[in-house]
Amino acid sequence: MDYFLTEEQEMIKEIAAKIATEKVRPVRAELDEMEEFPWDLMKIMAQSDLFGVYLPEEYGGLGGGVLENCLAIEELGRACIGVATTYAASGLGAYPILLHGSEEQKQKYLPVIASGEKLAAFAVTESGAGSDAGGIQTTAQRQGDFYLLNGTKQWITNGGEAEIYTVVAITDRAKGARGASAFIVEKGDSGFSFGKKEKKMGICTSATRELLFNDCKIPADRLVSREGMGFIVTMKTFDVSRPGIGALAVGLSQGALDIAVEYARKRVQFGKPIISFQAVQHMLADMATETEAARALVYATAKYIDSGAKDISKFSAMSKLFPTDVAMRVTTNAVQVLGGYGYMRDYPVEKMMRDAKILQIYEGTNQIQRNIIGQELNKEYGRIKETFF
């Protein structure tokens, strides 16, 4: 479908697609098997200016927005969402600085992120604080011109590899969620180290590690916005980043659909290609329809956010929820279309199915997305004065 992208947007899509096809696909199985961080691929993306597509020109970016970011993520995800997650997570770490950082913070950190010289990461999750961000235990205590951070962050994407971390910690526990604040922590800061690298079901090339803070001393000017804004910084960041998860799902779904259609056209049973059988046709038809519907939702949401709209939480949640559920169904059905071959690691759909599951979990589970959508609907209909019943 023609989404009437601009010439620059088409160029971003083409560059990302070229990298995905020529550089990512040939090594995706090896990276997955070896659980190797894709540094070589990150360098190629940096040389192609992909890390700056969503950042303003004054900070070294290309001046695009959420849609441009989604276009790049989708094409990379079509080849491997482990690689694409590594790329996208740097943007997740940069968004809090872009949205709420001081001008000095933006000037210092965004250009090196835009160039790909340094990767970023966002650290909220802990062992007892996933969907419940109010359960954060990591603390930050002000001591003169510094803060001391203590605690542990869990399951942080790009952990140990990124140089720049946006970390949410409690500065005033008595205030609950309003007592959380966001800080910029740099790799190499005193008292900042890394725990084990997790072994995961999917996206195995993406690094997922613990972040350990033991009297980690950081300058007070690394506070993002002001004290007590950590929860708001987190929610506003997810509002603009969640369409990117939807884009990962769209790319993954399209990649699995491509393989399933190609296989169905070549696989002969009972003297005919299996694509000639209605049962297979209907599976492929549903996969294609849902993938295109997911793409339309992601693009529309991204454009809506880029327009400057304020009430974006509901649509952002939808753009994460629907495409990721679609990706799980499409990759599962791709394995089914390929039958026994689909279950073997010699074919990429086995990996795609394993990879798909995380999309329904990170950056807020799909159950949380439904909560957000439901709460926003309640607010909207509460403002309507007319009586319908």
Side-chain angles (χ1 to χ4, degrees), residues 23-305:
K23 304 297 182 181
V24 179
R25 283 183 186 171
V27 298
R28 63 185 174 187
E30 180 182 359
L31 289 172
D32 182 72
E33 185 71 25
M34 301 300 293
E35 301 185 8
E36 180 181 339
F37 191 81
W39 269 121
D40 289 344
L41 296 175
M42 294 302 108
K43 291 175 182 177
I44 292 170
M45 292 175 202
Q47 293 165 1
S48 302
D49 292 330
L50 284 187
F51 281 101
V53 296
Y54 63 96
L55 291 171
E57 293 179 2
E58 59 263 38
Y59 305 121
L62 298 183
V66 175
L67 178 58
E68 284 75 12
N69 195 35
C70 286
L71 293 174
I73 290 171
E74 178 189 344
E75 291 302 328
L76 295 171
R78 196 166 176 173
C80 175
I81 70 161
V83 171
T85 293
T86 301
Y87 165 80
S90 192
L92 177 63
Y95 269 130
I97 302 171
L98 175 63
L99 296 174
H100 297 280
S102 66
E103 185 58 29
E104 291 76 13
Q105 289 170 345
K106 292 177 183 178
Q107 292 287 352
K108 179 178 180 180
Y109 294 106
L110 295 183
V112 292
I113 295 173
S115 68
E117 178 184 341
K118 295 181 179 181
L119 295 181
F122 190 37
V124 179
T125 304
E126 299 179 3
S127 60
S131 298
D132 178 15
I136 289 172
Q137 297 299 308
T138 298
T139 60
Q141 293 183 325
R142 181 76 183 253
Q143 293 193 354
D145 293 334
F146 293 87
Y147 283 90
L148 285 181
L149 271 64
N150 283 282
T152 302
K153 294 295 180 180
Q154 187 179 46
W155 301 333
I156 305 305
T157 304
N158 287 354
E161 307 295 339
E163 298 277 348
I164 301 164
Y165 297 81
T166 309
V167 179
V168 179
I170 297 297
T171 46
D172 188 345
R173 192 165 301 283
K175 293 182 178 179
R178 294 185 178 181
S181 304
F183 300 88
I184 301 170
V185 180
E186 298 180 15
K187 188 176 183 178
D189 281 338
S190 175
F192 178 34
S193 60
F194 305 102
K196 64 175 181 176
K197 182 178 179 180
E198 303 288 354
K199 296 184 75 65
K200 306 185 295 292
M201 174 193 228
I203 62 167
C204 298
T205 188
S206 168
T208 307
R209 279 194 180 90
E210 288 180 326
L211 309 186
L212 309 177
F213 303 97
N214 184 14
D215 282 341
C216 175
K217 187 177 182 181
I218 62 170
D221 62 10
R222 302 251 204 95
L223 173 69
V224 178
S225 185
R226 62 181 188 275
E227 283 194 12
M229 286 290 288
F231 186 72
I232 293 175
V233 168
T234 299
M235 294 301 102
K236 296 297 184 183
T237 294
F238 285 152
D239 277 349
V240 297
S241 69
R242 279 174 175 152
I245 305 300
L248 282 170
V250 171
L252 178 59
S253 297
Q254 188 64 59
L257 175 63
D258 293 343
I259 293 168
V261 171
E262 180 183 9
Y263 178 86
R265 294 179 70 245
K266 294 179 178 178
R267 174 66 167 170
V268 175
Q269 291 287 272
F270 306 104
K272 298 178 182 178
I274 63 172
I275 201 170
S276 66
F277 299 120
Q278 190 178 68
V280 175
Q281 288 179 354
H282 285 189
M283 289 179 68
L284 296 173
D286 287 344
M287 292 160 69
T289 301
E290 289 193 320
T291 298
E292 200 62 55
R295 179 179 289 114
L297 178 57
V298 168
Y299 286 14
T301 301
K303 288 182 179 180
Y304 184 63
I305 295 171

Side-chain angles (χ1 to χ4, degrees), residues 331-350:
T331 54
T332 300
N333 283 338
V335 171
Q336 190 69 23
V337 170
L338 269 69
Y341 290 105
Y343 201 69
M344 302 300 147
R345 291 199 174 185
D346 292 338
Y347 287 77
V349 290
E350 174 271 341

